Amino acid sequence: MNCRWTLRAAKGHWMVNISQQCSHGSIGLFVPPSPPLDPEKIRELQRFITLSKRLLVMTGAGISTESGIPDYRVLCLNCGEQIPREVLQERFEALNPTWSAEAHGLAPDGDVFLTEEQVRSFRVPSCRCGGPLKPDVVFFGDTVNPDKVDFVHRRVKEADSLLVVGSSLQVYSGYRFILTAREKKLPIAILNIGPTRSDDLACLKLDSRCGELLPLIDPC
């Protein structure tokens, strides 16, 4: 398991993305079924957003790529340079022109299963400085950059409400901010298909696809 952190501002509201890694190939393949849109629930979410003056939106894998947030970027552990995934793909192909393998299964996060023998001959490029590369994500067991954690905690303390979109909040790196919001007594709304770790803390829970429901909401 791994997750990606993205921080950005949109129309005066802070948006924090904390999502598990996915790839273009997995989009749409693992979206669980959801009930039809409930008009009353849509109106409730609209009221929640309309009454919010300093809304903090925390999004997860259920909204990332669909919203234009870039896919993950493989990061140099030596010099810190970020390399776009497409550029790295070209280097993969140049170093492994004849390599091919048939996957033995597909994981929900888009990863494929290969045998040790299949990957033994695969050549992995290094950074231009010679340093090792890794996906710019937080792997299970890693620690999140403390500056990013502090940044989000400040945004939670400045907010008057919190909206979670497309996250089950199973990973503590995201769940911790829900606990901070609860301590501050902020109203919390959650839009996610299926149960989340914080359903009992939310004043509003919607089981709908993000891409279907959010376009119906007036951002005010």
Side-chain angles (χ1 to χ4, degrees):
M1 180 186 298
N2 48 72
C3 63
R4 179 179 67 252
W5 283 55
T6 304
L7 309 174
R8 66 193 181 106
K11 293 186 178 179
H13 297 313
W14 274 104
M15 302 186 70
V16 180
N17 179 273
I18 307 173
S19 61
Q20 293 184 3
Q21 175 184 324
C22 63
S23 64
H24 280 304
S26 64
I27 300 302
L29 294 179
F30 302 100
V31 177
S34 60
L37 293 176
D38 182 342
E40 180 56 33
K41 287 287 188 179
I42 297 174
R43 287 191 288 269
E44 288 184 40
L45 180 59
Q46 180 67 73
R47 285 195 294 269
F48 180 89
I49 294 176
T50 300
L51 293 173
S52 301
K53 303 304 180 184
R54 297 185 305 278
L55 176 66
L56 176 66
V57 182
M58 189 166 73
T59 68
I63 197 173
S64 302
T65 308
E66 185 178 350
S67 297
I69 298 173
D71 287 329
Y72 69 93
R73 300 160 297 280
V74 177
L75 172 71
C76 176
L77 297 180
N78 184 39
C79 70
E81 181 181 5
Q82 284 190 340
I83 303 173
R85 182 62 178 85
E86 311 83 67
V87 174
L88 187 61
Q89 182 65 33
E90 295 175 357
R91 295 173 62 184
F92 279 144
E93 294 173 357
L95 287 172
N96 304 275
T98 62
W99 186 89
S100 64
E102 182 177 349
H104 295 276
L106 183 66
D109 62 0
D111 285 349
V112 296
F113 302 112
L114 300 174
T115 65
E116 181 69 25
E117 186 164 337
Q118 286 176 306
V119 300
R120 187 175 297 126
S121 62
F122 188 82
R123 298 178 61 193
V124 179
S126 59
C127 179
R128 291 179 295 181
C129 74
L133 301 175
K134 71 175 287 288
D136 189 14
V137 298
V138 180
F139 286 106
F140 184 77
D142 284 351
T143 57
V144 179
N145 184 310
D147 291 338
K148 290 187 177 181
V149 175
D150 291 342
F151 177 89
V152 179
H153 273 302
R154 291 197 300 271
R155 300 290 82 79
V156 174
K157 292 176 180 178
E158 293 170 357
D160 64 357
S161 55
L162 175 63
L163 171 62
V164 178
V165 180
S167 175
S168 64
L169 299 168
Q170 293 301 316
V171 180
Y172 184 75
S173 58
Y175 178 65
R176 74 176 96 190
F177 302 120
I178 304 299
L179 298 180
T180 300
R182 181 186 65 173
E183 292 174 1
K184 194 172 180 285
K185 295 182 170 52
L186 298 184
I188 300 170
I190 299 176
L191 168 57
N192 186 72
I193 300 175
T196 79
R197 193 175 181 179
S198 301
D199 284 358
D200 60 327
L201 303 179
C203 63
L204 176 62
K205 172 65 184 352
L206 301 96
D207 285 280
S208 302
R209 292 188 63 167
C210 307
E212 291 180 350
L213 192 152
L214 292 181
L216 303 177
I217 300 298
D218 182 355
C220 306

